[in-house]
Amino acid sequence: MDTSHIRNFCIVAHIDHGKSTLADRLLELTHAVADRDMRAQYLDRMDLERERGITIKAQAVRLTHNTYELNLIDTPGHVDFTYEVSRSLEACEGAILLVDAAQGLEAQTLANFHLARDAGLVIVPALNKIDLPAAEPDQRAKELADLLDRDPDDILRISAKTGEGVEDLLKAVIDQVPPPTGETDAALRALVFDSMFDPYRGVITYVRVQEGELPSGSRIRLMATGAESDAEETGVMAPEPMPVDALGPGEVGYLVTGLKDVHLAKVGDTITLAGKHAAIEPLPGYREPKPMVWSGLFPNEGGDYSELREALDRLKLSDSALSYEPETSQALGFGFRAGFLGLLHMDIVKERLEREFDLELIATAPNVEFHVIKGDQTTVVHNPAEMPVAGTFDRVEEPIVFATVITPKEYLGAVLDLCQSRRGELVDTTFLTPERAEVHYMLPLAEIVFDFFDHLKSNTRGYASLDYEPWGYQESDVVRVDVLLHGEPVDAFSTIVHRSKAYAYGKQMTERLRELIPRQLFDVAIQAAIGSKIIARETVKAKRKDVLAKCYGGDITRKRKLLETQKKGKARLRKVGRVDVPQEAFIAALRADAGAKKK
Amino acid sequence: MSAHLETAGIYVHVPFCLTRCGYCDFNAYAGLDHLASRYVGALLSEAELAAPAWEGVEVVSVFLGGGTPTTLEVADLKALLARVRSVFAVTPDAEVTIEANPDTVDEQKLAGLLEAGYGRLSMGAQSFDRSVLAALERVHQPASVIEAFRAARAVGYDNVNLDLIYGAAGETLESWERTLRETIALAPSHISAYGLTIEPATALGRQVARGDVPAPDPDLQADMFEAACCLLGDAGYGHYEVSNWARPGYECRHNLGYWERRPYVGLGAGAHGYRDGSRSWNVRPPEEYLSMIERGELPVGGSENLEPADAYLEEVFLRLRILQGIPASWVDDGRADPYLETGLLIRDDGHLVPTERGMLLLNELVLGLTG
Ligand SMILES: Nc1nc2c(ncn2[C@@H]2O[C@H](COP(=O)(O)OP(=O)(O)OP(=O)(O)O)[C@@H](O)[C@H]2O)c(=O)[nH]1
Ligand code: SF4
Ligand SMILES: [Mg+2]
């Protein structure tokens, strides 16, 4: 096919600025979805996305408009999913940068703009939600124009809700975004930018063909893993899967690889044809994202470790940012230490594992990665249990991020106070516009990854936004806090925190556990400790009464059944030393109720 | 495990009450009095239907429970006992108990019951604290218990039990101790003291679930239990089952039958019977019971054959309740040790017997010992 009629573009924006809603209008405008099948945020296909009202996974669709073939990728806006955005950019020549005309520029507007620009994409800026009474299009257009160094008149104004201006925007995309380049005759090189596992069809990859042609049913080769396979089908998402004869240069589509082994198809790999037509050089691929937080994932009582492994392997295909390694806990048995891009990501992964693979999981308290240094040796610690005893090393370093906060100027003071209280170091403050400050801080990752965002939002009435990127490691006074039940440490409850936070963690955990641990036949001491020093303590008083009051009238059956029920309940307890701990106590005590909020 | 000679008890259920108490989940109904005479007739028929299977078995106790059996006329109650005696092999000295509510008896009625052959009276006193009675939604007043008790004594009742309940909302340890003292002052031959249990399918259960009424505090109930052990023990009552005390020789033979897993016949709506490792029970709703009997059917609602594991669990839990304890050899090695060490059990003549503290934690003991 002639590539001059192909346009590959994505929609990028700050969270909630209307990307998926704009995608809806484009689906309608190009008659890709029958009216009766249309629903809001059509491309948010996962139940989780619909329930939470956010996009989690980038979605590529093929649209046809006049004589043009349009490959559109809707991307997520949340900072935890930036990796999805950067992979999508690699499959495109252009990006619509959408800005909410009421909210204006936000932290991920800037971050995504920089990503798109650095990837060499043509940027088509647009203000969205101009139907809102609070929209200030003139002011916002000027700000956005300043950022892009363009004329405010270049900024299109649309309402993804009403459809106003959407057709003009599409026209601008077709006019401004260049068609892809790439020779049909060249050896095939197609970039795997996403993948998934289908229980019936095996590994399905989403590819962008850079050059050459990928005919349906060809024998393919994955260049990084060397795996070869007879591809079953090529097709495009329109927006439902639609087989095509071939994908040509510049085209975006899917490939049913015929592979069943999930380890053989990696996101970022290059697909070529097997045999003498194989390409020599793979495409650059992606930098593996670095996990920001780690947590133990364990099957709930009776759950199966190998099922969890299988589920993780499959999920990783459609979530390449996930990483994991086996871990054993005294309290929770065999599981995995998994790395995530943030708490939302962690929450989503856990829920997807539970829903899509029918598992019940316990996740331990999340922590960041620490570097323990002795002499010229560095040990990387993802798991509090691996933290060496104090005194056996020279120092510990914790991850630092470069954080950007954008805030209306009236909340600047509140933002500075918050960052300061989180051990932050101010880099600079600039004014994006006379009304909006852009603050840069060096902050320990551990300080912002948990509940910082909630505080930021509540201290600024929801107006400030945050973005951050890894910067490096810095020495820090961190300690491991252990939680002991009746003198017995419970590894699942240990955490590594800055010394200033140790007491709060210890107090919170001991108080929670006091509510969660049922009374036993003896007083149970619940202690939090740093080394041998107890920093918090609670007691669950011994149970004194557990007897059926009345046993008469001859209805012995019922009493026996009550005892049998109680017996079953006992069987679900995990023993920690002498203490019986119900499974629910682990789940409830480890529930990250602060920080893991939606946005 | 049980090597008793074949003697049995008979339980007769009367499901009628004046009003429904808030905590009660028995098979009892207010406002069904119009069924009373049909019901008595049905009991007479059921006795006849059931008796042939029990031929040759000595009946050593009869217990009329409810509900409130004393809502029935004395004449009916007399006919009922006469029928039971005529179709079953009831021994002449059998213990014959009738449950009574203070508000349903006066001197005349009590005299009639005694004369009819109901030699043991079990009265629901529950508390001598007005506010506790109100919390339990009992209609009677403390004074009517005293009055009814005195009337029983006056007509010649020697063997009288008073039922008490502790741990209702608002009841303090002091109030409970006063109730115990007033009870002791009346000098009944037998006292049952039950910790209030909240059953979900009751008015009180729903109030607790809604948070309108606090659930009983188990620690306070433990204190109350200990107070009962102490005061009743000092007053000369022997503690022979978790919730039962008696003057020597006045232990309830009928209830002991349940706990010792001796056979019993159940007559009436929802009544349970037991024999040879199998339990069966009648249909619960009185109307259903009546129509089955009137069609000439045995009104069986269900039954179960006890597996060895069920029988073992029952045997352990019942024997621990009556403080006979269980032979140490029944328990796997080492299982009893933690309880012996912490003083919940003692070893007595090769038996494991719960202490007072152990009785309060009997469920734990049973589960821990049976594993
Ligand atoms: N009034 C108005 N509301 C809009 C418009 N566009 C989107 N919205 C609303 O804004 C909210 C977020 O829209 P989405 O399309 O889910 O935003 P998104 O950018 O895809 O969000 P993420 O994928 O989570 O980053 C929804 O409630 C939309 O209905 C618009 O033009 N006008
Ligand atoms: S009198 Fe007894 S059986 Fe009747 S409702 Fe009250 S507690 Fe229940
Ligand atoms: Mg979206």
Short mmCIF file of all heavy atoms in Angstrom, two decimals, chain A residues 39-59 76 81 84 194 315 318-319 348-349 351-353 355-356:
data_model
loop_
_atom_site.label_atom_id
_atom_site.label_comp_id
_atom_site.label_asym_id
_atom_site.label_seq_id
_atom_site.Cartn_x
_atom_site.Cartn_y
_atom_site.Cartn_z
N ARG A 39 -20.38 3.14 23.20
CA ARG A 39 -20.53 3.51 24.61
C ARG A 39 -19.38 4.43 24.96
O ARG A 39 -18.37 4.45 24.26
CB ARG A 39 -20.53 2.27 25.51
CG ARG A 39 -19.29 1.41 25.35
CD ARG A 39 -19.35 0.22 26.28
NE ARG A 39 -18.08 -0.51 26.23
CZ ARG A 39 -17.81 -1.58 26.96
NH1 ARG A 39 -18.70 -2.03 27.82
NH2 ARG A 39 -16.66 -2.18 26.86
N ALA A 40 -19.57 5.20 26.05
CA ALA A 40 -18.56 6.21 26.40
C ALA A 40 -17.23 5.54 26.72
O ALA A 40 -17.18 4.47 27.31
CB ALA A 40 -19.04 7.03 27.59
N GLN A 41 -16.16 6.19 26.35
CA GLN A 41 -14.80 5.67 26.50
C GLN A 41 -14.74 4.22 25.98
O GLN A 41 -14.37 3.29 26.67
CB GLN A 41 -14.32 5.74 27.96
CG GLN A 41 -13.95 7.14 28.42
CD GLN A 41 -15.12 7.85 29.07
OE1 GLN A 41 -15.94 7.24 29.74
NE2 GLN A 41 -15.24 9.15 28.84
N TYR A 42 -15.11 4.08 24.73
CA TYR A 42 -15.20 2.77 24.09
C TYR A 42 -13.91 1.98 24.24
O TYR A 42 -13.92 0.77 24.42
CB TYR A 42 -15.52 2.96 22.61
CG TYR A 42 -15.81 1.67 21.88
CD1 TYR A 42 -17.11 1.18 21.79
CD2 TYR A 42 -14.77 0.94 21.29
CE1 TYR A 42 -17.38 0.00 21.14
CE2 TYR A 42 -15.04 -0.25 20.64
CZ TYR A 42 -16.34 -0.73 20.57
OH TYR A 42 -16.60 -1.90 19.93
N LEU A 43 -12.80 2.67 24.15
CA LEU A 43 -11.51 1.96 24.14
C LEU A 43 -11.05 1.55 25.54
O LEU A 43 -10.08 0.81 25.66
CB LEU A 43 -10.43 2.80 23.45
CG LEU A 43 -10.71 3.07 21.96
CD1 LEU A 43 -9.58 3.89 21.36
CD2 LEU A 43 -10.89 1.77 21.19
N ASP A 44 -11.72 2.05 26.57
CA ASP A 44 -11.42 1.56 27.92
C ASP A 44 -12.15 0.23 28.06
O ASP A 44 -13.26 0.16 28.58
CB ASP A 44 -11.87 2.56 28.99
CG ASP A 44 -10.98 3.79 29.04
OD1 ASP A 44 -9.87 3.75 28.46
OD2 ASP A 44 -11.38 4.78 29.66
N ARG A 45 -11.52 -0.85 27.62
CA ARG A 45 -12.25 -2.11 27.49
C ARG A 45 -12.27 -2.92 28.77
O ARG A 45 -13.15 -3.74 28.98
CB ARG A 45 -11.61 -2.98 26.41
CG ARG A 45 -11.76 -2.38 25.03
CD ARG A 45 -10.83 -3.10 24.08
NE ARG A 45 -10.70 -2.38 22.84
CZ ARG A 45 -11.24 -2.76 21.69
NH1 ARG A 45 -11.95 -3.84 21.62
NH2 ARG A 45 -11.06 -2.03 20.61
N MET A 46 -11.25 -2.71 29.60
CA MET A 46 -11.18 -3.52 30.82
C MET A 46 -12.23 -3.05 31.83
O MET A 46 -12.45 -1.85 31.97
CB MET A 46 -9.81 -3.35 31.46
CG MET A 46 -8.83 -4.46 31.16
SD MET A 46 -7.38 -4.24 32.19
CE MET A 46 -6.41 -3.15 31.20
N ASP A 47 -12.83 -4.00 32.55
CA ASP A 47 -13.78 -3.63 33.59
C ASP A 47 -13.15 -2.65 34.57
O ASP A 47 -13.78 -1.69 35.01
CB ASP A 47 -14.21 -4.87 34.39
CG ASP A 47 -15.12 -5.75 33.55
OD1 ASP A 47 -15.60 -5.27 32.51
OD2 ASP A 47 -15.33 -6.92 33.94
N LEU A 48 -11.88 -2.92 34.87
CA LEU A 48 -11.19 -2.06 35.83
C LEU A 48 -11.11 -0.63 35.33
O LEU A 48 -11.25 0.32 36.11
CB LEU A 48 -9.76 -2.57 36.02
CG LEU A 48 -9.49 -3.46 37.20
CD1 LEU A 48 -8.04 -3.91 37.17
CD2 LEU A 48 -9.78 -2.71 38.48
N GLU A 49 -10.88 -0.47 34.04
CA GLU A 49 -10.80 0.88 33.47
C GLU A 49 -12.15 1.57 33.56
O GLU A 49 -12.25 2.75 33.91
CB GLU A 49 -10.36 0.80 32.01
CG GLU A 49 -8.96 0.26 31.83
CD GLU A 49 -8.52 0.22 30.38
OE1 GLU A 49 -9.23 -0.36 29.54
OE2 GLU A 49 -7.46 0.79 30.08
N ARG A 50 -13.20 0.81 33.29
CA ARG A 50 -14.53 1.41 33.29
C ARG A 50 -14.96 1.75 34.70
O ARG A 50 -15.52 2.82 34.95
CB ARG A 50 -15.53 0.47 32.62
CG ARG A 50 -15.08 0.05 31.22
CD ARG A 50 -16.22 -0.47 30.39
NE ARG A 50 -17.17 0.59 30.09
CZ ARG A 50 -17.02 1.49 29.13
NH1 ARG A 50 -15.95 1.45 28.36
NH2 ARG A 50 -17.91 2.41 28.93
N GLU A 51 -14.64 0.85 35.65
CA GLU A 51 -15.02 1.12 37.03
C GLU A 51 -14.29 2.35 37.57
O GLU A 51 -14.85 3.13 38.32
CB GLU A 51 -14.66 -0.07 37.92
CG GLU A 51 -15.64 -1.21 37.79
CD GLU A 51 -15.06 -2.50 38.33
OE1 GLU A 51 -14.16 -2.43 39.20
OE2 GLU A 51 -15.49 -3.56 37.86
N ARG A 52 -13.04 2.47 37.22
CA ARG A 52 -12.26 3.56 37.80
C ARG A 52 -12.27 4.81 36.93
O ARG A 52 -11.76 5.86 37.35
CB ARG A 52 -10.81 3.11 38.00
CG ARG A 52 -10.73 1.96 38.99
CD ARG A 52 -9.31 1.60 39.28
NE ARG A 52 -9.27 0.50 40.22
CZ ARG A 52 -8.41 0.41 41.22
NH1 ARG A 52 -7.52 1.35 41.42
NH2 ARG A 52 -8.44 -0.62 42.02
N GLY A 53 -12.81 4.69 35.73
CA GLY A 53 -12.90 5.85 34.86
C GLY A 53 -11.55 6.34 34.38
O GLY A 53 -11.39 7.53 34.07
N ILE A 54 -10.58 5.45 34.31
CA ILE A 54 -9.27 5.86 33.81
C ILE A 54 -8.77 4.82 32.80
O ILE A 54 -9.16 3.67 32.84
CB ILE A 54 -8.21 5.96 34.93
CG1 ILE A 54 -8.12 4.65 35.71
CG2 ILE A 54 -8.50 7.12 35.84
CD1 ILE A 54 -6.91 4.57 36.60
N THR A 55 -7.92 5.28 31.91
CA THR A 55 -7.30 4.35 30.98
C THR A 55 -6.04 3.80 31.64
O THR A 55 -5.28 4.53 32.27
CB THR A 55 -6.94 5.08 29.68
OG1 THR A 55 -8.14 5.66 29.16
CG2 THR A 55 -6.34 4.14 28.66
N ILE A 56 -5.88 2.50 31.53
CA ILE A 56 -4.72 1.84 32.11
C ILE A 56 -3.77 1.39 31.01
O ILE A 56 -2.56 1.49 31.12
CB ILE A 56 -5.18 0.62 32.95
CG1 ILE A 56 -5.96 1.09 34.17
CG2 ILE A 56 -3.98 -0.22 33.36
CD1 ILE A 56 -6.74 -0.02 34.84
N LYS A 57 -4.36 0.89 29.94
CA LYS A 57 -3.55 0.38 28.82
C LYS A 57 -3.77 1.21 27.58
O LYS A 57 -4.89 1.60 27.26
CB LYS A 57 -3.98 -1.05 28.50
CG LYS A 57 -3.22 -2.09 29.27
CD LYS A 57 -3.30 -3.44 28.57
CE LYS A 57 -2.58 -3.48 27.24
NZ LYS A 57 -1.13 -3.37 27.31
N ALA A 58 -2.68 1.45 26.87
CA ALA A 58 -2.80 2.11 25.57
C ALA A 58 -3.55 1.17 24.62
O ALA A 58 -3.42 -0.04 24.72
CB ALA A 58 -1.41 2.41 25.02
N GLN A 59 -4.37 1.74 23.74
CA GLN A 59 -5.14 0.93 22.78
C GLN A 59 -4.93 1.47 21.39
O GLN A 59 -5.14 2.66 21.14
CB GLN A 59 -6.63 1.03 23.10
CG GLN A 59 -7.05 0.35 24.37
CD GLN A 59 -7.11 -1.15 24.22
OE1 GLN A 59 -7.19 -1.67 23.11
NE2 GLN A 59 -7.05 -1.85 25.35
N PRO A 76 -2.87 6.19 28.33
CA PRO A 76 -3.29 6.58 29.68
C PRO A 76 -2.62 7.87 30.11
O PRO A 76 -1.57 8.24 29.57
CB PRO A 76 -2.79 5.42 30.56
CG PRO A 76 -2.04 4.50 29.67
CD PRO A 76 -1.85 5.14 28.35
N PHE A 81 1.60 5.12 34.42
CA PHE A 81 1.54 4.43 33.12
C PHE A 81 2.28 5.18 32.02
O PHE A 81 2.02 4.98 30.84
CB PHE A 81 0.08 4.18 32.74
CG PHE A 81 -0.66 3.46 33.80
CD1 PHE A 81 -1.77 4.02 34.41
CD2 PHE A 81 -0.23 2.21 34.24
CE1 PHE A 81 -2.44 3.35 35.42
CE2 PHE A 81 -0.90 1.53 35.26
CZ PHE A 81 -2.00 2.11 35.85
N GLU A 84 3.57 3.24 29.12
CA GLU A 84 2.64 2.93 28.03
C GLU A 84 2.69 4.03 26.98
O GLU A 84 2.63 3.77 25.79
CB GLU A 84 1.19 2.83 28.56
CG GLU A 84 0.91 1.66 29.46
CD GLU A 84 0.61 0.38 28.68
OE1 GLU A 84 -0.11 0.46 27.69
OE2 GLU A 84 1.13 -0.68 29.08
N ASP A 194 3.33 -3.90 22.11
CA ASP A 194 2.44 -4.39 23.16
C ASP A 194 2.15 -5.85 22.85
O ASP A 194 2.39 -6.32 21.73
CB ASP A 194 1.13 -3.59 23.17
CG ASP A 194 0.40 -3.69 24.52
OD1 ASP A 194 0.88 -4.45 25.40
OD2 ASP A 194 -0.62 -3.01 24.69
N LEU A 315 0.29 -12.15 32.54
CA LEU A 315 -0.05 -10.74 32.70
C LEU A 315 1.10 -9.87 32.19
O LEU A 315 0.88 -8.81 31.62
CB LEU A 315 -0.34 -10.43 34.17
CG LEU A 315 -0.86 -9.03 34.42
CD1 LEU A 315 -2.22 -8.84 33.74
CD2 LEU A 315 -1.00 -8.75 35.91
N SER A 318 0.93 -8.40 28.75
CA SER A 318 0.18 -7.19 28.45
C SER A 318 0.53 -6.08 29.42
O SER A 318 -0.08 -5.03 29.42
CB SER A 318 -1.33 -7.48 28.47
OG SER A 318 -1.76 -7.66 29.78
N ASP A 319 1.50 -6.32 30.28
CA ASP A 319 1.97 -5.27 31.18
C ASP A 319 3.46 -5.43 31.34
O ASP A 319 3.95 -6.00 32.31
CB ASP A 319 1.26 -5.39 32.54
CG ASP A 319 1.61 -4.24 33.46
OD1 ASP A 319 2.53 -3.44 33.11
OD2 ASP A 319 0.99 -4.12 34.53
N ILE A 348 -3.56 -2.12 40.48
CA ILE A 348 -4.16 -2.63 39.24
C ILE A 348 -3.66 -4.06 38.96
O ILE A 348 -4.45 -4.94 38.60
CB ILE A 348 -3.78 -1.71 38.05
CG1 ILE A 348 -4.35 -0.31 38.26
CG2 ILE A 348 -4.22 -2.32 36.73
CD1 ILE A 348 -5.82 -0.17 38.02
N VAL A 349 -2.37 -4.27 39.14
CA VAL A 349 -1.82 -5.60 38.87
C VAL A 349 -2.48 -6.61 39.80
O VAL A 349 -2.92 -7.68 39.38
CB VAL A 349 -0.28 -5.61 39.06
CG1 VAL A 349 0.24 -7.04 39.12
CG2 VAL A 349 0.38 -4.85 37.93
N GLU A 351 -5.35 -6.45 41.28
CA GLU A 351 -6.75 -6.69 40.91
C GLU A 351 -6.88 -7.48 39.62
O GLU A 351 -7.76 -8.32 39.49
CB GLU A 351 -7.49 -5.35 40.76
CG GLU A 351 -7.95 -4.87 42.10
CD GLU A 351 -9.29 -4.16 42.04
OE1 GLU A 351 -10.27 -4.71 41.48
OE2 GLU A 351 -9.34 -3.05 42.55
N ARG A 352 -6.00 -7.20 38.66
CA ARG A 352 -6.08 -7.96 37.40
C ARG A 352 -5.75 -9.43 37.66
O ARG A 352 -6.40 -10.32 37.11
CB ARG A 352 -5.13 -7.38 36.36
CG ARG A 352 -5.61 -6.05 35.80
CD ARG A 352 -4.79 -5.60 34.60
NE ARG A 352 -4.96 -6.50 33.46
CZ ARG A 352 -4.24 -6.41 32.34
NH1 ARG A 352 -3.29 -5.48 32.23
NH2 ARG A 352 -4.45 -7.25 31.35
N LEU A 353 -4.75 -9.67 38.49
CA LEU A 353 -4.41 -11.07 38.81
C LEU A 353 -5.60 -11.76 39.45
O LEU A 353 -5.92 -12.90 39.14
CB LEU A 353 -3.20 -11.13 39.73
CG LEU A 353 -1.85 -10.80 39.10
CD1 LEU A 353 -0.78 -10.63 40.17
CD2 LEU A 353 -1.44 -11.89 38.11
N ARG A 355 -8.84 -10.90 39.27
CA ARG A 355 -10.03 -11.02 38.42
C ARG A 355 -9.79 -11.89 37.21
O ARG A 355 -10.60 -12.75 36.89
CB ARG A 355 -10.42 -9.64 37.89
CG ARG A 355 -10.95 -8.74 38.94
CD ARG A 355 -11.38 -7.49 38.25
NE ARG A 355 -11.73 -6.49 39.24
CZ ARG A 355 -12.56 -5.51 38.98
NH1 ARG A 355 -13.11 -5.41 37.81
NH2 ARG A 355 -12.83 -4.62 39.91
N GLU A 356 -8.69 -11.64 36.51
CA GLU A 356 -8.50 -12.32 35.24
C GLU A 356 -7.99 -13.74 35.43
O GLU A 356 -8.12 -14.57 34.55
CB GLU A 356 -7.54 -11.51 34.34
CG GLU A 356 -8.13 -10.16 33.95
CD GLU A 356 -7.13 -9.23 33.27
OE1 GLU A 356 -6.18 -9.73 32.63
OE2 GLU A 356 -7.31 -7.99 33.38
#
